[in-house]
Amino acid sequence: MTLPQVSGRNIALTGFMAVGKSVVGQRLARRLKRRFVDLDRVIEKLEGMKVREIFERKGEDYFRTIESRALQATLAHEGQVIATGGGAIMGEENLRLLKERSLLVCLTAPVRVLLERAGKGNKRPFLKAQDPERAMADLLKRRQPNYAQADVSIDTSFLGVDEVVDEIIKAIENKS
Ligand code: S3P
C-alpha cells in the first residue's frame, strides 16, 4: 500500500469532546505509520494526575497553562498525529501554533451525537452540568469560530472510525 505524501507535517485533530479524536487519531497514526500523541495523556503524565483531578484540585486556568505548555513541547516535533483536547484551540497562541505546525483537522458532530458518544458516567469535567445537553450546546457555540479555522473539517455523524480515517487521508492527498 502506498502511503499518501504528507511530508513531515504534523496532523492535529481538534473538535468537541467525545467526537472521537483519540480513537481516530490512534487509527490514523497506525495507518500512516506515525507516532501518535494524545495531548491529554501528555498532560496527565506531566502532572501525575488524571485530567478530571487536575480540574478538581487545581482549576481550569491551571489546566490550560499546562495544556499550552504540553502543546508547545509536542509541536516542537514533526511527523506526528496529535489528538488535542476539545478546548485547546481556544487559546489564541495554541491555535496559531497548531495552524503553523500542523495540518489542523476538525472532527464535528451535532450535540445529540456527541452526548451519545460521551455515554453515561463519563469523566469529562464539562459534562457534569445539571443539563449536559444545554451546557454542551452553549460551549459548542462559543467554540465554533475557533473550530472553523481548521484546515479541514469532517462531519463524523454517520461515519465509523475507519471511514473518518479514510476521509482524513483523502483530505491530506488533496492538500499535497
Ligand atoms: C476539554 C476536553 C477534554 C480535556 C479536558 C477539557 C475541553 O479532552 O482536555 O477535559 O475543554 O473541551 P477531550 O476533548 O479529549 O474530551
Side-chain angles (χ1 to χ4, degrees):
M1 180 190 139
T2 50
L3 294 175
Q5 289 305 305
V6 284
S7 69
R9 194 146 196 235
N10 288 312
I11 301 164
L13 303 182
T14 184
F16 209 75
M17 52 194 123
V19 77
K21 301 177 293 284
S22 299
V23 65
V24 166
Q26 254 164 13
R27 196 82 57 94
L28 178 66
R30 206 182 308 149
R31 286 264 291 271
L32 299 178
K33 298 193 169 37
R34 284 170 169 236
R35 185 167 107 99
F36 173 66
V37 180
D38 190 318
L39 203 64
D40 280 346
R41 300 294 86 73
V42 174
I43 296 166
E44 290 180 341
K45 220 169 174 182
L46 281 172
E47 290 296 295
M49 264 186 268
K50 293 282 175 203
V51 167
R52 177 178 42 84
E53 281 180 276
I54 305 174
F55 268 79
E56 281 167 10
R57 292 207 213 160
K58 305 205 169 178
E60 181 173 355
D61 287 353
Y62 180 86
F63 174 81
R64 296 300 172 199
T65 304
I66 305 299
E67 184 177 54
S68 297
R69 215 176 281 164
L71 184 66
Q72 263 177 37
T74 301
L75 288 174
H77 305 279
E78 295 192 328
Q80 313 160 103
V81 173
I82 304 162
T84 65
I89 38 81
M90 293 310 285
E92 211 177 291
E93 178 62 11
N94 291 353
L95 180 58
R96 192 195 64 74
L97 259 185
L98 277 163
K99 295 225 15 143
E100 183 185 286
R101 304 210 36 97
S102 67
L103 179 82
L104 187 57
V105 178
C106 184
L107 305 184
T108 73
V111 170
R112 181 184 36 82
V113 174
L114 293 170
L115 274 174
E116 232 168 70
R117 289 187 190 163
K120 288 208 177 73
N122 91 87
K123 301 183 181 75
R124 290 175 170 93
F126 285 118
L127 299 183
K128 286 189 166 165
Q130 269 191 340
D131 183 351
E133 185 165 354
R134 175 104 187 254
M136 207 184 235
D138 287 349
L139 196 55
L140 190 53
K141 199 168 164 197
R142 254 182 287 142
R143 289 184 173 175
Q144 201 52 50
N146 288 43
Y147 289 141
Q149 292 190 50
D151 302 302
V152 177
S153 190
I154 295 170
D155 181 356
T156 67
S157 313
F158 303 104
L159 304 178
V161 175
D162 282 317
E163 290 167 319
V164 178
V165 169
D166 288 342
E167 288 300 313
I168 297 173
I169 290 177
K170 256 190 247 163
I172 295 168
E173 285 169 333
N174 286 337
K175 296 253 165 201
S176 63

